[in-house]
Structures are given as structure tokens and as C-alpha cells.
Amino acid sequence: LEAIAASRKSLTRGWNKEHELFLKCIKTPEVRNLISIFFLRNKARANNPFAVVESPPKHVGVLGAGIMGRGIAHAMLAVNIPVTLYDINPKVIAAAVKYIEGLFMKDVAKGKMKPEEAFKKINLLVVCWSGDLERFSKVDFVIEAVFEDVKVKHEALNALQPYLKPGTIIATNTSSILVEDIAKGVANPENLCALHFFNPVPLMDLVEIAGHEGSSERSLAQTLALVKAIKKTPILLGHECSGFVVNRVLFYYFALAL
């Protein structure tokens, strides 16, 4: 704003002021930290600690169409990954479809994509509700985003399991429940890991990945490949812990504020 104000007298004075302010800015700790974050983000996105290299899934199923589920579904559709979205409540499904369509139409209004491109992405979405889980037989990766209760998660995943192809990876969108506790109540726990998105999903860059002691390397590697495919930054935990990384730090900040 100071540079703009100076330019009202002459462009040369405005450019000189901008140059002066820029030189002051690049010496601040804020700039150094932002540069550090830039390189750390690129390093995280390029990192692959696994011996196996997995391709991202070709069709993702999202179990639960609430605030998180619909945001996760949009993230997949945005990079042209087909999505099957399920919720027990048809009204929640209707709200999710409206939300997803609205996000793509906003991109059209802003000139970020053409209408035909938006409609192509929207048409990659298949929805189902009220126990209609047979459509999940076509997916090769599932993201569970139901209510944060271990019993509810067990019931939802066990109801879904008979319809899944052998070896389908299931990623639970949780950070408050240990993956180990969820794994105790599901079949094929080696295919289970955590994939924790932050709200609102379309705006938040970080995604946490955590396995339990029995998670296979393949499940974690494919989950990592998916995060990279949707152009988000993965935080891969060496081992799971309550709250994972971000919420674990956040809770400490809350405690200090009390």
C-alpha cells in the first residue's frame, strides 16, 4: 500500500518505494520461514520411503457424505478420479452433490475451468444411499468418513467389506481414534490405515497418513500415491499416536491457553 501511495505522485517513486520495501521484507524471519516451508513442502511431496511404488487408485469410494466426506470426494473428482459416494441418509447425499457441483461452478465463474470440464468432473460422481453398497464393488480404494465413534466405524466397515474386491485399501479419516483400535474390529486389518484430511478439504493442503502395527507397506504406499495425485502435501507418521501430528500440537496450544 505504501508503494501504491508513492506511485500516485510518480511511477518512478512508486517503483523505488517498492524496491525499498522489498529489500526490508526479504530480511525478516517471516520470509525465511516461508522459504523454509516451501522447500519442506516440496520435499514431503517428493518423499517415498517405501520399497514398493504404488500407482494411485483408479476409482475411490467415500463412505460418509458429511462435511468431510463431500470435501474428500471433491478432491478426487478435481483430478478426474471417479468417486462412489455413500451415506445412509439420502438428504445428506443430496446436500453433498449440491456442494460438489457448487464448488466446480465457482471455478467456472472464476475462469479456472470451462463449463464442459466441470460437467465432466461432476459426471465422474456416483452416489448411493440407504444400504445400497453394491456399487462399491467397482472401487479399488475406500476412504471412510463416518461419525467419529469406533463402534460406528466398525459397523460401517463390516457392512461394506463383503462388497469390496480382495485387497481393497481402506483409509479411515480419523485422528482422534487410534487406527489400531479400528483395526481390531475389521476384516483384513493389513489393508487399513489412516488418511486424515483437514476441514475445509478444498482449502487445506496437509493430509496425515498413519498406519497401525499390522498395516501393510502396500496400503501405506498406495495411500501416499493418492495424496500426491490429488496434489496435497502428505505428513507420513513413522508410527501412529493420539491426535497424530497437527492435533497433537494443537491440543498442547489449547492447554497453554487455559
Side-chain angles (χ1 to χ4, degrees):
L1 292 176
E2 291 180 38
I4 293 172
S7 69
R8 294 177 65 183
K9 296 182 179 179
S10 77
L11 282 177
T12 301
R13 290 188 65 173
W15 289 331
N16 290 339
K17 189 63 177 179
E18 182 182 54
H19 179 72
E20 174 192 332
L21 294 170
F22 177 76
L23 291 178
K24 289 181 180 179
C25 179
I26 61 175
K27 297 177 183 179
T28 63
E30 291 82 3
V31 167
R32 289 196 296 272
N33 290 338
L34 287 170
I35 292 172
S36 177
I37 289 172
F38 172 80
F39 285 111
L40 286 171
R41 180 185 290 121
N42 288 346
K43 183 178 180 181
R45 288 180 173 180
N47 183 41
N48 182 15
F50 305 112
V52 294
V53 178
E54 289 286 328
S55 299
K58 296 180 180 179
H59 191 148
V60 172
V62 179
L63 194 63
I67 292 174
M68 295 305 298
R70 65 188 66 170
I72 293 168
H74 171 266
M76 307 298 148
L77 297 169
V79 294
N80 299 312
I81 297 177
V83 172
T84 296
L85 179 62
Y86 173 85
D87 198 280
I88 196 168
N89 188 337
K91 291 184 179 179
V92 174
I93 284 289
V97 172
K98 183 178 180 180
Y99 170 82
I100 291 169
E101 290 178 345
L103 287 178
F104 285 124
M105 290 302 102
K106 283 183 181 179
D107 286 340
V108 171
K110 293 177 181 178
K112 293 182 177 180
M113 68 174 66
K114 296 180 179 179
E116 54 268 29
E117 184 182 356
F119 290 127
K120 180 181 178 181
K121 294 177 185 295
I122 292 169
N123 287 334
L124 293 174
L125 176 65
V126 174
V127 296
C128 49
W129 58 88
S130 300
D132 180 17
L133 293 168
E134 292 183 7
R135 296 178 185 269
F136 276 73
S137 62
K138 296 180 180 181
V139 309
D140 49 11
F141 194 101
V142 173
I143 300 174
E144 170 271 305
V146 302
F147 185 69
E148 279 290 271
D149 180 278
V150 68
K151 184 178 179 181
V152 173
K153 291 183 184 293
H154 285 162
E155 291 175 352
L157 292 174
N158 286 326
L160 176 65
Q161 194 71 48
Y163 301 99
L164 299 180
K165 294 183 290 187
T168 301
I169 305 301
I170 298 176
T172 174
N173 179 52
T174 186
S175 68
S176 63
I177 303 173
L178 290 176
V179 190
E180 180 183 4
D181 292 338
I182 299 174
K184 291 175 182 177
V186 300
N188 308 116
E190 69 278 5
N191 295 329
L192 178 73
C193 65
L195 180 59
H196 180 227
F197 290 83
F198 294 91
N199 185 37
V201 177
L203 300 180
M204 302 301 282
D205 178 58
L206 294 181
V207 182
E208 295 175 312
I209 302 172
H212 60 97
E213 190 173 341
S215 294
S216 68
E217 188 172 272
R218 184 183 72 88
S219 67
L220 293 169
Q222 190 174 64
T223 302
L224 179 61
L226 176 60
V227 173
K228 292 181 179 181
I230 62 175
K231 302 175 183 178
K232 292 191 180 291
T233 301
I235 302 177
L236 183 61
L237 278 70
H239 58 84
E240 68 168 331
C241 59
S242 179
F244 297 164
V245 176
V246 175
N247 283 340
R248 196 175 182 88
V249 173
L250 184 63
F251 294 154
Y252 180 71
Y253 284 159
F254 285 162
L256 289 175
L258 294 177

